[in-house]
Amino acid sequence: MRFSPSFRALSVIALSLLIALSGLIPAGAQQPKTQPPQPPRQEPPKQEAKEKEKAKRDRRQGAVAEEQQPVSGEETVRVDVDLVQLDVTVVDQNNTPVFDLRKDDFQVFEDRIKQSIETVSREEVPISMGLVIDTSGSMRSKLQTVSDAARSLIKQMKNEDEAFVAQFKAEPELVQDFTRDKRELEDAIDQLYTSGGTALLDAIIATADYSHEKGRQRRKALIVITDGLEKNSSVKEKEVMEAMKEDEVQVYLVGFIDEEDDQKSLFGKSPAKKAKELLSRLAEDSGGRAFFPKDVSEMPEIARQIARDLRTQYVISYYPTNAEKDGRFRAVRVVVESRDKRKLIPRTRQGYYARKSGQPVPAEAERKTLSKNPE
């Protein structure tokens, strides 16, 4: 069969098109292949290491004391469980607070081993404060002035501070729970009355335990006003010292010691001297301070000094070299060496118990509890 020239030309064109199309569509690939699902993209190890390092740096620099936002009018402070924080007051030889110290001026020793200090700050922090007033019969003539001084301390409270009021005679008694309401605290002061004996040591243990258990702020302090004549307590000084270590509460003691009793007895020290030494030891071991006014007219100035002490403390933070949570007591000592070679005296607590969060410390004696005033 013979084809015309035009038909042969059309055949050549059609064949060329088929060849071109076959080059674009491979055999067996007319339907697109389904790609398998890709696994989630993994961060490269280097990026993960950077993030971990950043988190560690943030923890050291910014999470020393992480404060949550208030919830329903309450504020909770969360502190890194591995971090030790010391509230330190520094005074010169004239007992005047010193405010110009830097991190390099401080040294911290834990169980005699020098620690590496992370931060030193002097910022104001909220306080959980207890006003603990001796209302035994021997305080009758001083109660009005003491109450006025307590009101002065209440007036100086900041918005985030909280306080409670307790009195003690033969037994410690809670007059007003922790509150930020200054009016409620002042009303509680008005309820105080004098009678009976003095159980000073029982009162300190009971109020320190209460402060530790119920206080919301990290910094806790007791202001105890008494004539110092311990007579009716069921515990001894050693047990009180142990309680203050466990509860991590600073104690400020104001002792109205009768100078007429400051005569040496046939059996050694006078009652007045014993009372002064007892109050001084209790204050020093807790990182607080003892005052011995000779007249009740000194109380307003003492109240101002206590408020200033609580507001002007340095906060020293460090991660201890001994990271074991074995529940044992770690003795702490702070040393200050100023650049101008002044003789400076630091005051802070004697140490802490290295226990896990929520782990109790066994009490050495049965303690008095702080009973609520039924009125």
Side-chain angles (χ1 to χ4, degrees), residues 202-219:
D202 282 346
I204 293 177
I205 280 190
T207 52
D209 286 348
Y210 177 79
S211 183
H212 176 74
E213 180 182 353
K214 301 295 185 180
R216 298 188 188 96
Q217 308 301 353
R218 182 190 64 80
R219 181 177 292 175

Side-chain angles (χ1 to χ4, degrees), residues 220-274:
K220 300 176 176 64
L222 297 178
I223 293 92
V224 183
I225 306 174
T226 179
D227 59 12
L229 299 179
E230 168 57 52
K231 294 179 180 178
N232 302 101
S233 290
S234 60
V235 297
K236 304 298 182 185
E237 178 185 346
K238 178 182 177 182
E239 290 145 12
V240 177
M241 297 292 193
E242 193 66 23
M244 291 191 300
K245 290 176 183 177
E246 294 172 17
D247 294 333
E248 299 181 359
V249 177
Q250 288 181 299
V251 181
Y252 288 81
L253 285 147
V254 181
F256 288 96
I257 308 300
D258 192 345
E259 297 296 335
E260 293 180 3
D261 292 335
D262 201 6
Q263 301 295 325
K264 188 173 182 179
S265 69
L266 296 175
F267 303 100
K269 297 177 182 177
S270 68
K273 189 172 183 62
K274 288 181 180 179

